[in-house]
Amino acid sequence: MANCVLSCCSTADLSKEHFEARDIRYVCFHYYLNDREYADDLGQSMNFEDFYAEMDKGAMTKTSQVNVSEYVEHFTPILEQGMDIVHVSLSSGISGTINSARSAALICMERYPERKVLIVDSLGASSGYGLLMDMAADKRDEGLGAEELAAWVEANRLKIHHWFFSTDLTSYVRGGRVSKTAAVFGGILDICPLLHMDNPGHLVPAAKIRTKKKVIREIVKRMEEHAEGGYEYSGKCYISQSACFEDARAVADMVEARFPKMNGRVDINWIGTTIGSHTGPGTVALFFVGDERLD
């Protein structure tokens, strides 16, 4: 039996059932839809179809990270059971929630000085963050203790590749990531921007691709270039999508054809409501294990 508990934020964008099956605890972010607050609880409070349908109709969204008291509330029952905690946080490159987690860890360790609460920056997001958690759960099940597990996550987090494309720039304009002028010309020219997660965990543009068909080929090409073992890749592959399942399935089909030795089929998840509040509908993200990410 493992002597530590593995924990993350709901922004790792795996299903509730997946987290429960792997015994990964999670703490929920919050989001606002037209000024009404909801928990980002993996589609339990509002299903993802309804959430993205509201965004598509012009609903305004904003997000709220987990605060210190919520982390303390999350950590305390685990510590009371006599377990150490390794909490892996959403990338510090896109959220400050790790600072709240670190403050909460200090409070909890003062209350439970015989226990450890170790906070690790995932430098990842969405189901790429989820893929890292899934791999960490494998290591926990192999018997790694809290300090060994935290060290493993830190040593391997930059091997998780994150590649995104979007066919709808509306939410990117609202968030200031794309100018209105660029979005208009992008729409006229049918441009789908390709983005990736850099070394410090920021989401940055990589290329401007004309047409959805070409960007689907390009995102799979990035996996061909970077996947561990090349076409012999034997790891897992996750995709997350925001109300564009057919596009995600097209990427998955191509990946499965290119990498026949992959560990199972591609796992397609929803982009959750926190990340989705910033991307909006029409985003597909591809995650796999590869060479170490570079800036």
Side-chain angles (χ1 to χ4, degrees), residues 11-12 90-91 94 122-130 162 164 197 275 287:
T11 47
L90 176 65
S91 174
I94 58 176
S122 70
L123 298 177
S126 195
S127 297
Y129 175 18
H162 299 55
F164 300 70
M197 188 73 79
I275 305 297
F287 311 101

Side-chain angles (χ1 to χ4, degrees), residues 13 51-52 55 61 171 242 271-281:
D13 288 352
F51 171 75
Y52 285 112
M55 285 197 77
T61 58
S171 293
S242 55
I271 294 176
T273 49
T274 296
I275 305 297
S277 291
H278 301 283
T279 68

Side-chain angles (χ1 to χ4, degrees), residues 48-62:
F48 296 118
E49 291 93 340
D50 290 344
F51 171 75
Y52 285 112
E54 289 298 315
M55 285 197 77
D56 200 38
K57 290 188 289 187
M60 299 303 295
T61 58
K62 60 180 180 179

